[in-house]
């Protein structure tokens, strides 16, 4: 069973710009992935406004019985979130590494248009390698 089920990247306006499924069970169709991304963007924005703590950056972890949802928001407002097995450790560091890959392979690509869906083969390849490496490290613990 995979530690990481899926990975999403949402632009600052709430549009899904990247989705990758790593689990074999519970595959969603395109409309469902768009709904999940939109719902998460909305919940994240609402949580920032309703937080009693000033300067709150929104929800970073959502825990459920069957999954955990970890979120990292960059300074530009792009959100990276992963759905994984409950109790999976060090997903925050993986999401920060995904952000590094995003800046290296997507934002520095002269053919990429900001806020548009990501279609970069080098990003996809390096992301898959990093998730597989992380999965092996998690299974070894």
């Amino acid at each position: 069973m995979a530690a990481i089920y899926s990975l999403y990247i949402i632009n600052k306006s709430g549009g899904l710009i990247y989705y990758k499924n790593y689990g074999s069970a519970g595959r969603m169709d395109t409309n469902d992935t768009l709904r999940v991304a939109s719902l998460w963007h909305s919940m994240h924005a609402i949580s920032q406004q309703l937080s009693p703590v000033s300067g709150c950056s929104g929800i970073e972890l959502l825990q459920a019985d069957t999954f955990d949802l970890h979120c990292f928001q960059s300074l530009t407002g792009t959100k990276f979130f992963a759905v994984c097995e409950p109790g999976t450790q060090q997903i925050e560091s993986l999401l920060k590494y995904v952000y590094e890959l995003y800046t290296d392979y997507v934002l520095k690509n002269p053919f990429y248009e900001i806020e548009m869906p990501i279609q970069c083969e080098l990003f996809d390849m390096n992301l898959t390698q990093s998730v597989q490496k992380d999965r092996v490290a998690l299974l070894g613990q």
Side-chain angles (χ1 to χ4, degrees):
M1 189 171 196
I4 299 166
Y5 299 140
S6 56
L7 180 82
Y8 297 77
I9 301 176
I10 306 172
N11 63 22
K12 63 184 171 190
S13 60
L16 180 65
I17 59 174
Y18 186 82
Y19 168 74
K20 187 75 170 185
N21 188 8
Y22 296 102
S24 57
R27 291 190 181 262
M28 295 189 295
D29 65 11
T30 304
N31 287 335
D32 289 338
T33 59
L34 291 170
R35 275 191 284 269
V36 167
S38 176
L39 179 65
W40 181 253
H41 175 74
S42 301
M43 286 177 27
H44 198 271
I46 291 169
S47 70
Q48 286 176 319
Q49 294 174 356
L50 294 179
S51 174
V53 179
S54 64
C56 177
S57 62
I59 301 172
E60 294 177 359
L61 173 63
L62 175 70
Q63 294 178 310
D65 293 338
T66 57
F67 68 91
D68 286 353
L69 193 151
H70 294 261
C71 181
F72 169 73
Q73 181 174 344
S74 70
L75 294 175
T76 60
T78 304
K79 292 173 204 58
F80 300 79
F81 71 93
V83 179
C84 55
E85 288 181 359
T88 303
Q89 301 296 313
Q90 302 189 351
I91 296 297
E92 295 84 10
S93 60
L94 174 66
L95 290 175
K96 288 178 182 176
Y97 183 69
V98 171
Y99 175 64
E100 289 177 26
L101 292 175
Y102 172 75
T103 58
D104 286 343
Y105 294 106
V106 177
L107 294 181
K108 293 178 183 176
N109 181 345
F111 301 108
Y112 177 69
E113 294 182 38
I114 302 295
E115 305 292 318
M116 296 304 292
I118 298 170
Q119 297 175 349
C120 179
E121 190 174 324
L122 282 174
F123 173 74
D124 209 27
M125 183 179 65
N126 283 287
L127 179 62
T128 300
Q129 287 175 353
S130 119
V131 168
Q132 287 175 347
K133 194 183 329 177
D134 211 50
R135 185 180 294 163
V136 168
L138 290 170
L139 291 175
Q141 291 180 351

